[in-house]
């Protein structure tokens, strides 16, 4: 009997491991050491120390690199290593750095021998290509140590003591062991996406095998546009959690399938919690996100709002055994459109540390509650236990905020038009905003029709040029010698 139960337990573990590996598209990697990094100062200190120790190569990939004191500190550190003969390669995102730093910011590094590439600027022949962003925050040094996080290279993450604005709340990890090679492979893939692959350089030659640095098992999930590996894993974890599932997210957008997965877990007795910003770096996004609380709260999911200046962390911890940290937000932009990178850690010790940090974060948070209203059966409104925190004074932040806001407005206004569900009290704001927007567009179209016609003409011209370029590219490709006539054929 005991042998049978033991065999059954072993079989279940193998089944769960196989399900997680296939969902994420990433195998379990053993023998790693993982250190939890909390907030930007710890990140910046560790990152700069690692860069200073580089002897062979430095790979840096970050959504935002801002031309400020922190950005200059990183630029100086990279320039110094490049002049010392270290191979330095940097990938920054075009949209993330727009208004944060110019191309000329990187001239000192280029002159020192470093290489810099900008991910996915708008270009002809790609009508919607600019939508995809490189939202990763990665640093790898010498193939020995790797970092991934939600922290961008900007002093905004440090807050503003002069204005009594506390640092942003963010989370990342430092890794050693075999998983570092997977981070380097992910960087090499991003580098290849922006141009020629990494060169055959002895400074880039990895060791024959990275020695085990600890006893932590993990999966490195480096997602690309349209792959949805992180989405499948998030869904799988929501389905497999049996006791607790505690989530932290900066730009949560409750798409129906994921909300249903969380709701099913909560109704099955799982302690599901969601911690989100109380005041976003884009205040409108926070107010629109609140319109999605009601179905979560009705399902028994506990929702908390951070009382600090900005909560930018993206983490999950389940059953005290599984944890996720990285760059992916719980929204469509991160799941389907962006290049993201996260680590899913299967270790009770690390999960315990992240759970303890989560409970500490809740001490600085406000829980959102449902309170029944008299004389209105079936409707509920949210009640906070403490006053709303002050909003950050300066904007900035992460990919997917605009998409999150637009999707929330679209979902809410669509619900009002189609009447496919009852709207909660907190959803009246987005409905009013949608009505006001429609009214303004109507008045503008009547009084100044050119103000509507010209933007539409520009959009039409953009698609015309891009589709023409696509047609010409396909035509030229067909003319290449040795190309079979049916190379472009698709199977129905």
């Amino acid at each position: 009997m005991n042998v049978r139960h033991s065999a059954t337990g072993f079989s279940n573990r193998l089944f769960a491991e196989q399900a997680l590996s296939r969902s994420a598209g990433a195998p379990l990697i053993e023998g790693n050491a993982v250190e939890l990094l909390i907030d930007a100062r710890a990140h910046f200190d560790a990152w700069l120390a690692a860069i200073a120790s580089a002897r062979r190569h430095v790979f840096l990939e970050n959504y935002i690199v801002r031309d400020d004191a922190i950005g200059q500190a990183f630029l100086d550190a990279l320039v110094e290593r490049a002049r010392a003969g270290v191979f330095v390669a940097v990938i920054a995102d075009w949209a993330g750095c727009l208004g944060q730093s110019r191309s000329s910011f990187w001239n000192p590094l280029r002159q020192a021998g470093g290489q810099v590439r900008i991910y996915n600027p708008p270009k002809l022949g790609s009508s919607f290509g600019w939508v995809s962003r490189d939202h990763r925050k990665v640093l790898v040094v010498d193939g020995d140590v790797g970092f991934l996080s939600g922290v961008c290279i900007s002093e905004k993450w440090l807050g503003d003591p002069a204005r009594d604005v506390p640092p942003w709340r963010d989370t990342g990890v430092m890794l050693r062991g075999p998983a570092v090679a997977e981070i380097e492979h992910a960087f090499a893939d991003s580098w290849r996406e922006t141009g020629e692959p990494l060169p055959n350089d002895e400074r880039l030659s990895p060791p024959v095998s990275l020695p085990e640095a600890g006893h932590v098992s993990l999966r490195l999930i480096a997602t690309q546009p349209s792959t949805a590996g992180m989405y499948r894993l998030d869904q799988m974890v929501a389905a497999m959690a049996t006791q607790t599932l505690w989530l932290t997210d900066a730009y949560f957008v409750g798409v129906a399938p994921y909300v249903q997965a969380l709701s099913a877990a909560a109704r099955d007795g799982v302690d599901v919690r969601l911690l989100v910003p109380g005041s976003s770096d884009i205040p409108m996004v926070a107010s629109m996100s609140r319109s999605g609380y009601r179905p979560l709260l009705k399902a028994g999911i506990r929702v908390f709002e951070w009382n600090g200046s900005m909560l930018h962390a993206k983490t999950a911890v389940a059953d005290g055994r599984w944890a996720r940290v990285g760059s992916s937000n719980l929204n469509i932009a991160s799941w389907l459109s962006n290049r993201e990178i996260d680590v899913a850690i299967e270790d009770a010790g690390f999960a315990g540390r992240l759970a303890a940090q989560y409970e500490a974060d809740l001490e600085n948070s406000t829980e959102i509650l449902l309170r029944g209203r008299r004389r209105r059966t079936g409707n509920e409104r949210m009640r906070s236990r403490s006053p709303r925190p002050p909003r950050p004074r300066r904007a900035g932040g992460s990919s997917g905020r605009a998409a999150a806001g637009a999707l929330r407005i679209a979902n809410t206004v669509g619900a009002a038009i189609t009447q496919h569900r009852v709207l909660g009290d907190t959803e009246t704001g987005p409905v009013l905003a949608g009505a006001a927007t429609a009214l303004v567009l109507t008045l503008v179209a009547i009084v100044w029709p050119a103000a509507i016609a010209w933007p539409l003409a520009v959009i039409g011209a953009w698609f015309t040029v891009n589709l023409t370029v696509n047609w010409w590219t396909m035509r030229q490709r067909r003319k290449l010698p040795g190309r079979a006539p049916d190379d472009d054929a698709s199977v129905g």
Side-chain angles (χ1 to χ4, degrees):
M1 182 66 70
N2 291 337
V3 173
R4 188 192 317 178
H5 283 309
S6 177
T8 301
F10 181 71
S11 177
N12 289 340
R13 287 195 300 273
L14 286 179
F15 181 80
E17 180 178 334
Q18 184 181 70
L20 291 172
S21 294
R22 289 182 179 178
S23 298
L28 193 65
I29 305 170
E30 300 178 343
N32 303 282
V34 185
E35 180 179 339
L36 187 63
L37 298 176
I38 300 299
D39 293 345
R41 177 51 64 191
H43 283 79
F44 295 155
D45 290 346
W47 290 355
L48 288 171
I51 292 172
S53 70
R55 295 297 177 264
R56 297 190 297 121
H57 63 262
V58 175
F59 296 156
L60 175 64
E61 184 176 5
N62 206 295
Y63 178 66
I64 296 175
V65 181
R66 192 180 186 199
D67 186 0
D68 57 17
I70 294 298
Q72 286 291 334
F74 275 85
L75 178 63
D76 292 344
L78 295 170
V79 167
E80 189 278 328
R81 286 293 81 198
R83 287 175 177 164
V86 173
F87 184 95
V88 177
V90 175
I91 304 173
D93 186 81
W94 178 83
C97 292
L98 188 64
Q100 307 291 325
S101 57
R102 299 170 180 247
S103 178
S104 58
F105 170 80
W106 297 106
N107 286 344
L109 180 56
R110 294 188 179 102
Q111 293 166 3
Q115 299 187 37
V116 180
R117 292 183 179 177
I118 305 301
Y119 180 80
N120 205 17
K123 58 186 177 182
L124 294 178
S126 180
S127 301
F128 289 105
W130 56 271
V131 173
S132 174
R133 306 305 344 148
D134 187 346
H135 193 238
R136 298 175 180 178
K137 292 90 175 177
V138 164
L139 172 67
V140 186
V141 174
D142 291 345
D144 176 63
V145 59
F147 302 84
L148 57 89
S149 176
V151 175
C152 293
I153 298 177
S154 167
E155 64 183 3
K156 288 188 294 184
W157 264 253
L158 297 176
D160 189 349
R163 297 182 178 181
D164 198 28
V165 176
W168 287 18
R169 174 71 188 82
D170 219 328
T171 304
V173 292
M174 179 173 69
L175 301 171
R176 294 184 185 274
V180 176
E182 294 301 313
I183 304 178
E184 291 207 329
H185 292 325
F187 178 88
D189 182 72
S190 293
W191 190 260
R192 218 170 18 248
E193 186 70 16
T194 57
E196 293 294 321
L198 289 169
N200 291 323
D201 190 308
E202 61 179 8
R203 294 171 295 179
L204 305 183
S205 299
V208 177
S209 63
L210 285 173
E212 292 191 358
H215 304 285
V216 176
S217 299
L218 57 85
R219 290 179 173 83
L220 197 286
I221 305 106
T223 57
Q224 304 168 12
S226 302
T227 57
M230 197 66 247
Y231 175 72
R232 292 194 302 271
L233 184 64
D234 284 332
Q235 286 274 26
M236 184 64 66
V237 170
M240 296 176 67
T242 59
Q243 298 175 357
T244 60
L245 178 56
W246 296 348
L247 306 166
T248 302
D249 200 69
Y251 307 103
F252 177 79
V253 177
V255 295
Y258 189 62
V259 169
Q260 291 167 3
L262 296 179
S263 299
R267 292 187 176 111
D268 204 29
V270 179
D271 177 11
V272 182
R273 305 181 188 184
L274 175 65
L275 174 60
V276 294
S279 53
S280 177
D281 51 333
I282 302 294
M284 183 176 65
V285 174
S287 62
M288 289 185 295
S289 294
R290 290 187 189 107
S291 67
Y293 291 172
R294 186 171 180 267
L296 301 174
L297 296 170
K298 289 188 68 176
I301 297 167
R302 300 179 68 185
V303 178
F304 299 82
E305 289 187 347
W306 174 253
N307 292 332
S309 60
M310 176 58 191
L311 176 76
H312 197 258
K314 307 95 166 48
T315 68
V317 57
D319 290 347
R321 299 191 304 269
W322 183 93
R324 174 177 66 80
V325 178
S327 66
S328 294
N329 290 299
L330 300 175
N331 61 43
I332 291 295
S334 282
W335 281 328
L336 295 179
S337 178
N338 296 341
R339 300 181 76 86
E340 306 277 4
I341 190 164
D342 298 78
V343 61
I345 299 169
E346 298 183 13
D347 179 78
F350 181 86
R353 291 193 293 275
L354 191 60
Q357 180 62 49
Y358 194 93
E359 291 181 316
D361 290 340
L362 293 188
E363 293 297 318
N364 189 42
S365 302
T366 297
E367 183 170 11
I368 307 302
L369 302 175
L370 285 172
R371 180 177 64 192
R373 298 181 64 184
R374 294 181 181 178
R375 299 179 184 175
R376 187 178 284 186
T377 304
N379 285 318
E380 293 156 306
R381 66 182 177 184
M382 290 174 290
R383 172 167 52 91
S384 298
R385 286 181 173 174
S386 62
R388 188 71 56 202
R391 294 173 176 174
R393 298 194 178 206
R394 289 185 289 175
S398 185
S399 176
R401 297 169 310 185
L407 186 59
R408 175 57 58 205
I409 287 180
N411 286 344
T412 304
V413 175
I417 294 173
T418 62
Q419 296 184 348
H420 70 273
R421 62 183 173 86
V422 178
L423 297 174
D425 292 339
T426 59
E427 296 177 300
T428 57
V431 172
L432 180 60
T437 301
L439 177 61
V440 170
L441 290 175
T442 301
L443 294 175
V444 169
I446 294 172
V447 180
W448 300 289
I452 299 294
W454 277 109
L456 291 176
V458 171
I459 293 172
W462 171 257
F463 281 103
T464 299
V465 171
N466 278 281
L467 291 173
T468 302
V469 170
N470 284 338
W471 170 82
W472 180 256
T473 302
M474 293 170 63
R475 182 180 176 84
Q476 295 301 112
R477 189 181 298 127
R478 290 195 185 98
K479 294 180 179 180
L480 292 176
R483 183 177 180 83
D486 61 346
D487 278 354
D488 288 327
S490 60
V491 178

